[in-house]
Amino acid sequence: MHKSFALGPFCQLLTMRHLPLKGPLRDEQLEVIEQGGVIIRDGKIAAIGPFERIRRVAKEDGLGIKAIEKPMVALPGFIDAHTHLCFAGSRAKDYALRAEGKTYLEIAKAGGGIWDTVMKTRAAAPAELEALSVQRAQRHFLGGVTTIEVKSGYTLTIEGELKMLRAIQATQTQVKADLIPTCLPAHIVPKDFIGDEIAYIQHMLTHFFPIVQAEGLAQRADIFVEEGAFSVKAATLYMQALQQQGFDLTVHADQFSLGGSALAVRHKARSADHLEASGEAEIKALAASEVIPVALPGASIGLGCEFAPGRRLLDAGASLAIASDWNPGSAPMGDLLTVASIYGMFEKLSTAEVLAGIGFRAAAALGLSDRGRLIEGQIADIVAFPVDDYREILYQQGQLRPGGVWKRGR
Protein backbone atom coordinates (compact mmCIF):
# COMPACT_ATOMS: atom_id res chain seq x y z
CA MET A 1 0.00 0.00 0.00
CA HIS A 2 1.31 3.43 -0.88
CA LYS A 3 1.66 6.03 1.83
CA SER A 4 -0.42 9.20 1.63
CA PHE A 5 1.47 12.49 1.62
CA ALA A 6 1.67 15.99 0.15
CA LEU A 7 4.38 17.00 -2.30
CA GLY A 8 5.53 20.54 -3.07
CA PRO A 9 5.85 23.39 -3.53
CA PHE A 10 6.75 23.39 -7.22
CA CYS A 11 7.41 26.70 -8.94
CA GLN A 12 4.98 25.55 -11.60
CA LEU A 13 2.72 22.52 -12.00
CA LEU A 14 1.50 21.74 -15.53
CA THR A 15 -1.67 19.70 -15.19
CA MET A 16 -2.64 19.24 -18.89
CA ARG A 17 -6.23 19.52 -17.62
CA HIS A 18 -9.09 20.06 -20.12
CA LEU A 19 -6.86 19.82 -23.20
CA PRO A 20 -8.54 17.96 -26.10
CA LEU A 21 -7.27 14.68 -27.50
CA LYS A 22 -7.30 15.97 -31.08
CA GLY A 23 -6.37 19.16 -32.90
CA PRO A 24 -3.97 22.07 -32.33
CA LEU A 25 -3.03 23.36 -28.88
CA ARG A 26 -1.80 26.78 -27.81
CA ASP A 27 0.44 27.36 -24.82
CA GLU A 28 -2.20 29.73 -23.44
CA GLN A 29 -4.44 26.69 -22.98
CA LEU A 30 -2.05 25.12 -20.47
CA GLU A 31 -3.16 25.17 -16.87
CA VAL A 32 -0.04 26.26 -14.97
CA ILE A 33 -0.38 26.30 -11.19
CA GLU A 34 2.18 28.67 -9.71
CA GLN A 35 3.67 27.47 -6.40
CA GLY A 36 1.63 24.29 -6.69
CA GLY A 37 1.45 21.04 -4.80
CA VAL A 38 -0.23 17.64 -4.88
CA ILE A 39 -1.63 15.17 -2.39
CA ILE A 40 -0.92 11.55 -3.28
CA ARG A 41 -2.93 8.65 -1.86
CA ASP A 42 -2.25 5.04 -2.74
CA GLY A 43 -0.19 6.02 -5.76
CA LYS A 44 -2.83 8.33 -7.24
CA ILE A 45 -3.34 12.07 -7.26
CA ALA A 46 -5.96 12.92 -4.65
CA ALA A 47 -5.73 16.71 -4.88
CA ILE A 48 -3.76 19.31 -6.77
CA GLY A 49 -3.66 23.09 -6.47
CA PRO A 50 -1.83 26.02 -4.86
CA PHE A 51 0.58 24.69 -2.26
CA GLU A 52 -0.83 26.77 0.58
CA ARG A 53 -4.20 25.01 0.13
CA ILE A 54 -2.54 21.61 -0.31
CA ARG A 55 -0.49 22.13 2.85
CA ARG A 56 -3.62 23.13 4.79
CA VAL A 57 -5.53 20.04 3.65
CA ALA A 58 -2.54 17.82 4.42
CA LYS A 59 -2.31 19.25 7.94
CA GLU A 60 -6.04 18.73 8.52
CA ASP A 61 -5.75 15.11 7.37
CA GLY A 62 -2.60 14.42 9.34
CA LEU A 63 -0.48 13.80 6.24
CA GLY A 64 3.24 14.26 5.99
CA ILE A 65 4.72 16.76 3.56
CA LYS A 66 7.64 15.94 1.30
CA ALA A 67 9.16 19.33 0.71
CA ILE A 68 10.58 20.43 -2.63
CA GLU A 69 13.31 22.78 -1.51
CA LYS A 70 14.79 23.87 -4.85
CA PRO A 71 13.05 25.54 -7.81
CA MET A 72 11.31 22.82 -9.80
CA VAL A 73 8.69 22.61 -12.54
CA ALA A 74 6.51 19.47 -12.46
CA LEU A 75 4.50 17.86 -15.21
CA PRO A 76 3.09 14.40 -15.98
CA GLY A 77 5.61 11.58 -16.39
CA PHE A 78 6.50 11.08 -20.04
CA ILE A 79 5.01 8.23 -22.05
CA ASP A 80 6.97 6.62 -24.89
CA ALA A 81 4.41 4.86 -27.06
CA HIS A 82 6.81 3.17 -29.51
CA THR A 83 10.15 1.54 -28.69
CA HIS A 84 12.15 -1.54 -29.66
CA LEU A 85 14.49 -1.40 -26.67
CA CYS A 86 14.59 -5.20 -26.27
CA PHE A 87 17.41 -6.14 -28.66
CA ALA A 88 20.99 -7.34 -28.84
CA GLY A 89 23.91 -6.01 -30.89
CA SER A 90 24.70 -2.79 -32.72
CA ARG A 91 24.03 -1.45 -36.21
CA ALA A 92 26.82 1.15 -36.28
CA LYS A 93 27.88 -0.22 -39.67
CA ASP A 94 24.41 0.52 -41.09
CA TYR A 95 24.57 4.05 -39.69
CA ALA A 96 27.92 4.71 -41.35
CA LEU A 97 26.62 3.38 -44.68
CA ARG A 98 23.56 5.65 -44.50
CA ALA A 99 25.82 8.61 -43.82
CA GLU A 100 27.68 7.71 -47.03
CA GLY A 101 24.41 7.80 -48.97
CA LYS A 102 23.13 4.22 -48.93
CA THR A 103 19.37 3.92 -48.44
CA TYR A 104 17.55 1.94 -45.75
CA LEU A 105 16.29 -0.57 -48.34
CA GLU A 106 19.69 -0.91 -50.04
CA ILE A 107 21.33 -1.74 -46.71
CA ALA A 108 18.61 -4.24 -45.86
CA LYS A 109 18.97 -6.02 -49.21
CA ALA A 110 22.73 -6.29 -48.62
CA GLY A 111 22.21 -8.15 -45.34
CA GLY A 112 22.03 -5.24 -42.92
CA GLY A 113 18.91 -3.68 -41.53
CA ILE A 114 16.42 -5.54 -39.36
CA TRP A 115 17.81 -8.96 -40.32
CA ASP A 116 21.20 -8.09 -38.83
CA THR A 117 19.56 -7.38 -35.47
CA VAL A 118 17.44 -10.52 -35.81
CA MET A 119 20.53 -12.70 -36.00
CA LYS A 120 22.14 -11.00 -32.99
CA THR A 121 18.98 -11.13 -30.88
CA ARG A 122 18.38 -14.78 -31.73
CA ALA A 123 21.88 -15.54 -30.46
CA ALA A 124 21.40 -13.65 -27.18
CA ALA A 125 20.65 -15.70 -24.08
CA PRO A 126 17.42 -14.77 -22.26
CA ALA A 127 19.41 -13.38 -19.31
CA GLU A 128 21.47 -11.16 -21.62
CA LEU A 129 18.38 -9.82 -23.35
CA GLU A 130 16.75 -9.15 -20.01
CA ALA A 131 19.83 -7.33 -18.67
CA LEU A 132 20.04 -5.12 -21.78
CA SER A 133 16.34 -4.27 -21.53
CA VAL A 134 16.65 -3.41 -17.84
CA GLN A 135 19.58 -1.10 -18.56
CA ARG A 136 17.71 0.76 -21.31
CA ALA A 137 14.42 0.99 -19.41
CA GLN A 138 16.20 2.37 -16.36
CA ARG A 139 17.93 5.00 -18.50
CA HIS A 140 14.57 5.98 -19.95
CA PHE A 141 13.05 6.26 -16.48
CA LEU A 142 15.84 8.54 -15.27
CA GLY A 143 14.99 10.74 -18.28
CA GLY A 144 11.43 11.09 -16.99
CA VAL A 145 9.75 8.32 -19.05
CA THR A 146 7.40 6.53 -16.65
CA THR A 147 5.53 4.39 -19.20
CA ILE A 148 7.38 2.58 -22.00
CA GLU A 149 5.91 0.53 -24.83
CA VAL A 150 8.31 -2.29 -25.81
CA LYS A 151 8.01 -4.47 -28.92
CA SER A 152 9.19 -7.93 -29.80
CA GLY A 153 10.08 -8.49 -33.47
CA TYR A 154 13.83 -9.15 -33.51
CA THR A 155 13.85 -12.96 -33.70
CA LEU A 156 10.91 -13.84 -35.99
CA THR A 157 10.59 -17.40 -34.72
CA ILE A 158 8.00 -18.69 -32.28
CA GLU A 159 10.50 -19.52 -29.54
CA GLY A 160 12.53 -16.37 -30.19
CA GLU A 161 9.54 -14.03 -30.04
CA LEU A 162 8.39 -15.74 -26.85
CA LYS A 163 11.93 -15.29 -25.48
CA MET A 164 11.68 -11.56 -26.15
CA LEU A 165 8.23 -11.16 -24.60
CA ARG A 166 9.28 -13.16 -21.54
CA ALA A 167 12.38 -10.96 -21.23
CA ILE A 168 10.15 -7.87 -21.35
CA GLN A 169 7.92 -9.43 -18.68
CA ALA A 170 10.96 -10.19 -16.49
CA THR A 171 12.29 -6.66 -17.04
CA GLN A 172 9.06 -5.24 -15.63
CA THR A 173 9.84 -6.79 -12.24
CA GLN A 174 13.18 -4.94 -12.09
CA VAL A 175 12.36 -1.41 -13.26
CA LYS A 176 10.13 1.35 -11.95
CA ALA A 177 8.55 2.37 -15.26
CA ASP A 178 5.48 0.56 -16.55
CA LEU A 179 6.32 -1.55 -19.61
CA ILE A 180 3.59 -2.11 -22.21
CA PRO A 181 4.53 -5.19 -24.29
CA THR A 182 3.60 -5.39 -27.98
CA CYS A 183 3.88 -8.44 -30.26
CA LEU A 184 5.69 -7.66 -33.52
CA PRO A 185 6.38 -11.04 -35.14
CA ALA A 186 5.29 -9.33 -38.38
CA HIS A 187 8.37 -7.09 -38.58
CA ILE A 188 9.73 -8.66 -41.77
CA VAL A 189 9.39 -12.14 -43.28
CA PRO A 190 12.43 -14.04 -41.95
CA LYS A 191 14.87 -15.06 -44.64
CA ASP A 192 15.00 -18.62 -43.33
CA PHE A 193 11.23 -19.18 -43.34
CA ILE A 194 10.08 -21.62 -46.01
CA GLY A 195 7.05 -19.97 -47.57
CA ASP A 196 5.68 -16.56 -48.53
CA GLU A 197 4.38 -13.75 -46.33
CA ILE A 198 0.87 -15.23 -46.13
CA ALA A 199 2.21 -18.59 -45.00
CA TYR A 200 4.37 -16.87 -42.38
CA ILE A 201 1.43 -14.81 -41.06
CA GLN A 202 -0.75 -17.93 -40.84
CA HIS A 203 2.07 -19.80 -39.10
CA MET A 204 2.33 -17.12 -36.40
CA LEU A 205 -1.42 -16.75 -36.02
CA THR A 206 -1.80 -20.49 -35.54
CA HIS A 207 1.20 -21.32 -33.37
CA PHE A 208 2.50 -18.14 -31.71
CA PHE A 209 -0.40 -15.96 -30.63
CA PRO A 210 -2.28 -18.69 -28.71
CA ILE A 211 0.80 -19.07 -26.48
CA VAL A 212 1.02 -15.30 -26.03
CA GLN A 213 -2.57 -15.26 -24.83
CA ALA A 214 -2.21 -18.35 -22.65
CA GLU A 215 0.81 -16.85 -20.86
CA GLY A 216 -0.61 -13.32 -20.74
CA LEU A 217 2.50 -11.91 -22.42
CA ALA A 218 0.85 -9.10 -24.40
CA GLN A 219 -2.49 -7.62 -25.42
CA ARG A 220 -1.15 -5.56 -28.31
CA ALA A 221 0.03 -6.54 -31.79
CA ASP A 222 1.90 -4.58 -34.45
CA ILE A 223 2.82 -5.12 -38.12
CA PHE A 224 5.25 -3.34 -40.46
CA VAL A 225 3.40 -2.53 -43.70
CA GLU A 226 6.04 -1.60 -46.22
CA GLU A 227 8.09 -2.72 -49.22
CA GLY A 228 10.49 -5.31 -47.88
CA ALA A 229 8.15 -6.05 -44.97
CA PHE A 230 4.43 -6.91 -45.35
CA SER A 231 1.85 -6.07 -47.99
CA VAL A 232 -1.59 -4.64 -47.29
CA LYS A 233 -3.06 -8.05 -48.20
CA ALA A 234 -0.99 -9.91 -45.62
CA ALA A 235 -1.56 -7.21 -43.01
CA THR A 236 -5.32 -7.39 -43.55
CA LEU A 237 -5.31 -11.13 -42.79
CA TYR A 238 -3.16 -10.54 -39.70
CA MET A 239 -5.19 -7.65 -38.32
CA GLN A 240 -8.60 -9.24 -38.91
CA ALA A 241 -7.57 -12.41 -37.11
CA LEU A 242 -6.01 -10.64 -34.14
CA GLN A 243 -8.89 -8.22 -33.79
CA GLN A 244 -11.23 -11.20 -33.47
CA GLN A 245 -8.95 -12.57 -30.74
CA GLY A 246 -9.21 -9.33 -28.77
CA PHE A 247 -5.78 -7.83 -29.42
CA ASP A 248 -5.31 -4.07 -29.61
CA LEU A 249 -3.69 -3.17 -32.92
CA THR A 250 -1.07 -0.72 -34.06
CA VAL A 251 0.68 -0.38 -37.43
CA HIS A 252 4.11 0.70 -38.66
CA ALA A 253 2.51 2.83 -41.38
CA ASP A 254 3.50 5.06 -44.32
CA GLN A 255 7.20 5.17 -43.49
CA PHE A 256 8.46 4.96 -47.08
CA SER A 257 5.27 4.24 -49.05
CA LEU A 258 1.52 4.47 -48.56
CA GLY A 259 -1.11 1.95 -47.49
CA GLY A 260 -0.41 1.37 -43.81
CA SER A 261 -2.32 4.29 -42.35
CA ALA A 262 -5.41 3.48 -44.44
CA LEU A 263 -5.22 -0.05 -43.03
CA ALA A 264 -4.98 1.32 -39.49
CA VAL A 265 -8.06 3.49 -40.06
CA ARG A 266 -10.00 0.63 -41.64
CA HIS A 267 -9.31 -1.72 -38.73
CA LYS A 268 -9.68 0.97 -36.03
CA ALA A 269 -6.16 0.45 -34.72
CA ARG A 270 -5.06 2.31 -31.60
CA SER A 271 -2.34 4.07 -33.55
CA ALA A 272 -0.56 4.47 -36.87
CA ASP A 273 3.15 5.04 -36.32
CA HIS A 274 5.78 6.68 -38.58
CA LEU A 275 3.71 8.46 -41.28
CA GLU A 276 6.70 10.18 -42.92
CA ALA A 277 5.23 9.45 -46.39
CA SER A 278 1.63 10.40 -45.51
CA GLY A 279 -0.03 12.87 -47.88
CA GLU A 280 -3.17 14.96 -47.72
CA ALA A 281 -5.53 12.01 -48.26
CA GLU A 282 -3.91 10.04 -45.44
CA ILE A 283 -3.89 13.06 -43.13
CA LYS A 284 -7.59 13.70 -43.79
CA ALA A 285 -8.49 10.06 -43.16
CA LEU A 286 -6.53 9.94 -39.89
CA ALA A 287 -8.13 13.18 -38.72
CA ALA A 288 -11.61 11.75 -39.37
CA SER A 289 -10.79 8.59 -37.37
CA GLU A 290 -10.03 7.76 -33.75
CA VAL A 291 -6.57 6.41 -34.68
CA ILE A 292 -3.73 8.24 -32.91
CA PRO A 293 -0.96 9.27 -35.33
CA VAL A 294 2.44 8.64 -33.73
CA ALA A 295 5.44 10.57 -35.07
CA LEU A 296 8.85 8.93 -34.69
CA PRO A 297 11.36 11.76 -35.18
CA GLY A 298 14.23 9.61 -33.92
CA ALA A 299 13.89 7.48 -37.05
CA SER A 300 13.88 10.55 -39.28
CA ILE A 301 17.06 11.80 -37.61
CA GLY A 302 18.70 8.37 -37.83
CA LEU A 303 17.76 7.87 -41.48
CA GLY A 304 18.20 11.47 -42.61
CA CYS A 305 14.68 11.64 -44.04
CA GLU A 306 11.57 13.79 -43.75
CA PHE A 307 9.69 14.09 -40.48
CA ALA A 308 6.08 12.95 -40.12
CA PRO A 309 3.76 15.88 -41.00
CA GLY A 310 2.82 16.73 -37.42
CA ARG A 311 1.77 20.31 -38.07
CA ARG A 312 -0.53 19.32 -40.92
CA LEU A 313 -2.01 16.44 -38.91
CA LEU A 314 -2.89 18.71 -36.00
CA ASP A 315 -4.25 21.47 -38.21
CA ALA A 316 -6.45 18.91 -39.97
CA GLY A 317 -7.92 17.95 -36.61
CA ALA A 318 -5.97 14.77 -35.88
CA SER A 319 -4.28 13.89 -32.63
CA LEU A 320 -0.47 13.57 -32.46
CA ALA A 321 1.72 11.49 -30.18
CA ILE A 322 5.52 11.61 -30.33
CA ALA A 323 7.65 8.55 -29.54
CA SER A 324 11.35 7.74 -29.58
CA ASP A 325 11.29 4.58 -31.74
CA TRP A 326 14.40 3.57 -29.76
CA ASN A 327 15.93 0.77 -31.84
CA PRO A 328 19.42 -0.28 -32.96
CA GLY A 329 18.94 0.58 -36.62
CA SER A 330 17.11 3.79 -37.44
CA ALA A 331 16.75 5.39 -33.99
CA PRO A 332 19.73 4.46 -31.79
CA MET A 333 19.68 7.68 -29.72
CA GLY A 334 16.61 6.58 -27.78
CA ASP A 335 16.08 9.88 -25.97
CA LEU A 336 12.41 10.86 -26.00
CA LEU A 337 12.78 14.44 -24.77
CA THR A 338 15.60 15.22 -27.19
CA VAL A 339 13.83 13.93 -30.29
CA ALA A 340 10.53 15.53 -29.25
CA SER A 341 12.25 18.90 -28.71
CA ILE A 342 13.94 18.80 -32.12
CA TYR A 343 10.79 17.60 -33.86
CA GLY A 344 8.72 20.35 -32.26
CA MET A 345 10.94 23.04 -33.71
CA PHE A 346 11.08 21.58 -37.22
CA GLU A 347 7.31 21.01 -37.32
CA LYS A 348 6.51 24.29 -35.53
CA LEU A 349 4.65 22.64 -32.67
CA SER A 350 3.76 24.59 -29.56
CA THR A 351 5.17 23.52 -26.21
CA ALA A 352 1.66 22.36 -25.31
CA GLU A 353 1.49 20.17 -28.43
CA VAL A 354 4.87 18.56 -27.74
CA LEU A 355 4.11 17.88 -24.07
CA ALA A 356 0.69 16.49 -24.96
CA GLY A 357 2.42 14.31 -27.56
CA ILE A 358 4.63 12.68 -24.93
CA GLY A 359 1.86 12.80 -22.35
CA PHE A 360 -1.86 12.09 -22.51
CA ARG A 361 -1.97 11.78 -26.30
CA ALA A 362 0.75 9.12 -26.14
CA ALA A 363 -1.26 7.39 -23.41
CA ALA A 364 -4.24 7.27 -25.78
CA ALA A 365 -2.06 5.60 -28.43
CA LEU A 366 -1.56 2.81 -25.88
CA GLY A 367 -5.22 2.68 -24.87
CA LEU A 368 -4.45 4.15 -21.44
CA SER A 369 -6.68 6.77 -19.83
CA ASP A 370 -5.22 6.77 -16.30
CA ARG A 371 -2.04 8.79 -16.95
CA GLY A 372 -0.62 11.73 -18.90
CA ARG A 373 -2.35 14.45 -16.86
CA LEU A 374 -1.79 15.71 -13.32
CA ILE A 375 -5.41 15.68 -12.21
CA GLU A 376 -7.40 14.03 -9.46
CA GLY A 377 -7.75 10.26 -9.92
CA GLN A 378 -4.80 9.82 -12.28
CA ILE A 379 -1.74 7.73 -11.47
CA ALA A 380 0.83 9.90 -9.66
CA ASP A 381 3.50 9.70 -12.36
CA ILE A 382 5.41 12.98 -12.11
CA VAL A 383 8.61 14.34 -13.61
CA ALA A 384 10.15 17.56 -12.29
CA PHE A 385 12.91 19.68 -13.81
CA PRO A 386 15.25 22.03 -11.91
CA VAL A 387 14.00 25.27 -13.49
CA ASP A 388 11.36 27.88 -12.68
CA ASP A 389 9.77 28.16 -16.14
CA TYR A 390 8.32 25.18 -18.04
CA ARG A 391 9.50 26.60 -21.36
CA GLU A 392 13.10 25.85 -20.36
CA ILE A 393 12.44 22.11 -20.77
CA LEU A 394 12.14 22.06 -24.57
CA TYR A 395 14.42 25.07 -24.97
CA GLN A 396 17.35 23.01 -23.73
CA GLN A 397 16.56 20.29 -26.30
CA GLY A 398 16.95 17.28 -24.05
CA GLN A 399 20.07 18.49 -22.25
CA LEU A 400 18.07 19.47 -19.16
CA ARG A 401 17.63 16.30 -17.10
CA PRO A 402 14.94 15.70 -14.47
CA GLY A 403 15.62 16.65 -10.89
CA GLY A 404 13.01 14.16 -9.69
CA VAL A 405 10.85 11.35 -11.07
CA TRP A 406 7.94 9.80 -9.14
CA LYS A 407 6.25 6.58 -10.24
CA ARG A 408 2.87 6.08 -8.59
CA GLY A 409 3.98 8.58 -5.98
CA ARG A 410 7.27 6.81 -5.20
Side-chain angles (χ1 to χ4, degrees), residues 20-38:
L21 182 60
K22 300 174 71 173
L25 299 172
R26 302 184 315 279
D27 289 353
E28 302 84 70
Q29 293 174 265
L30 289 170
E31 179 182 54
V32 181
I33 302 175
E34 305 286 345
Q35 295 300 310
V38 298

Side-chain angles (χ1 to χ4, degrees), residues 10 68 72-73 75 141-142 144 382-386 401-406:
F10 294 99
I68 303 299
M72 297 265 261
V73 169
L75 57 157
F141 182 76
L142 292 175
I382 303 169
V383 56
F385 289 87
R401 308 313 289 174
V405 184
W406 291 262

Side-chain angles (χ1 to χ4, degrees), residues 211-381:
I211 301 174
V212 172
Q213 287 191 304
E215 294 190 21
L217 293 172
Q219 295 178 317
R220 288 168 44 86
D222 194 352
I223 185 166
F224 189 15
V225 181
E226 191 56 70
E227 179 188 349
F230 290 89
S231 68
V232 169
K233 179 181 178 182
T236 298
L237 169 66
Y238 180 83
M239 295 177 74
Q240 285 177 339
L242 292 177
Q243 209 159 28
Q244 291 171 2
Q245 293 176 35
F247 281 88
D248 276 356
L249 300 176
T250 182
V251 182
H252 277 62
D254 298 0
Q255 183 175 13
F256 304 112
S257 60
L258 302 178
S261 65
L263 197 68
V265 170
R266 189 157 62 246
H267 290 282
K268 299 181 179 179
R270 288 284 185 192
S271 69
D273 303 19
H274 273 297
L275 307 175
E276 294 91 337
S278 298
E280 292 307 313
E282 289 73 30
I283 290 169
K284 184 177 180 181
L286 285 164
S289 77
E290 299 306 310
V291 178
I292 305 294
V294 180
L296 305 176
S300 297
I301 295 167
L303 296 175
C305 67
E306 294 294 318
F307 288 113
R311 180 74 270 150
R312 288 187 290 150
L313 282 160
L314 289 167
D315 289 346
S319 188
L320 182 69
I322 305 168
S324 73
D325 194 19
W326 192 354
N327 74 73
S330 60
M333 184 204 310
D335 191 299
L336 179 61
L337 184 57
T338 299
V339 299
S341 300
I342 293 169
Y343 180 67
M345 182 54 68
F346 274 85
E347 282 297 304
K348 297 297 178 275
L349 306 181
S350 69
T351 300
E353 288 167 338
V354 173
L355 295 179
I358 57 177
F360 69 91
R361 287 175 168 177
L366 298 175
L368 302 172
S369 59
D370 60 356
R371 65 199 70 192
R373 304 180 198 260
L374 296 184
I375 58 176
E376 293 80 358
Q378 293 268 290
I379 291 173
D381 289 356

Side-chain angles (χ1 to χ4, degrees), residues 107-131:
I107 293 168
K109 288 176 181 177
I114 293 169
W115 187 248
D116 182 75
T117 298
V118 166
M119 298 306 292
K120 291 169 181 171
T121 306
R122 283 183 181 181
E128 178 189 357
L129 208 53
E130 182 182 326

Side-chain angles (χ1 to χ4, degrees), residues 162-214:
L162 291 172
K163 175 180 75 171
M164 290 191 70
L165 290 170
R166 290 166 183 155
I168 295 165
Q169 189 177 68
T171 298
Q172 178 64 91
T173 66
Q174 302 174 62
V175 300
K176 296 180 177 69
D178 286 334
L179 305 187
I180 310 297
T182 299
C183 298
L184 182 57
H187 206 172
I188 57 172
V189 180
K191 294 182 179 182
D192 52 1
F193 180 80
I194 301 173
D196 62 9
E197 61 171 0
I198 298 295
Y200 175 73
I201 290 292
Q202 290 174 330
H203 174 69
M204 286 298 186
L205 289 172
T206 302
H207 301 291
F208 170 68
F209 280 99
I211 301 174
V212 172
Q213 287 191 304

Side-chain angles (χ1 to χ4, degrees), residues 47-118:
I48 188 164
F51 187 66
E52 286 306 312
R53 176 167 64 82
I54 293 297
R55 179 161 51 189
R56 185 169 63 251
V57 171
K59 186 176 181 180
E60 291 170 356
D61 292 352
L63 302 180
I65 296 175
K66 295 188 177 181
I68 303 299
E69 299 185 352
K70 295 182 179 180
M72 297 265 261
V73 169
L75 57 157
F78 300 145
I79 297 163
D80 195 344
H82 185 128
T83 85
H84 302 257
L85 61 75
C86 183
F87 66 86
S90 167
R91 297 243 292 277
K93 180 181 176 182
D94 287 12
Y95 189 89
L97 288 171
R98 283 199 302 274
E100 290 181 352
K102 296 292 184 182
T103 69
Y104 183 90
L105 294 177
E106 286 172 341
I107 293 168
K109 288 176 181 177
I114 293 169
W115 187 248
D116 182 75
T117 298
V118 166

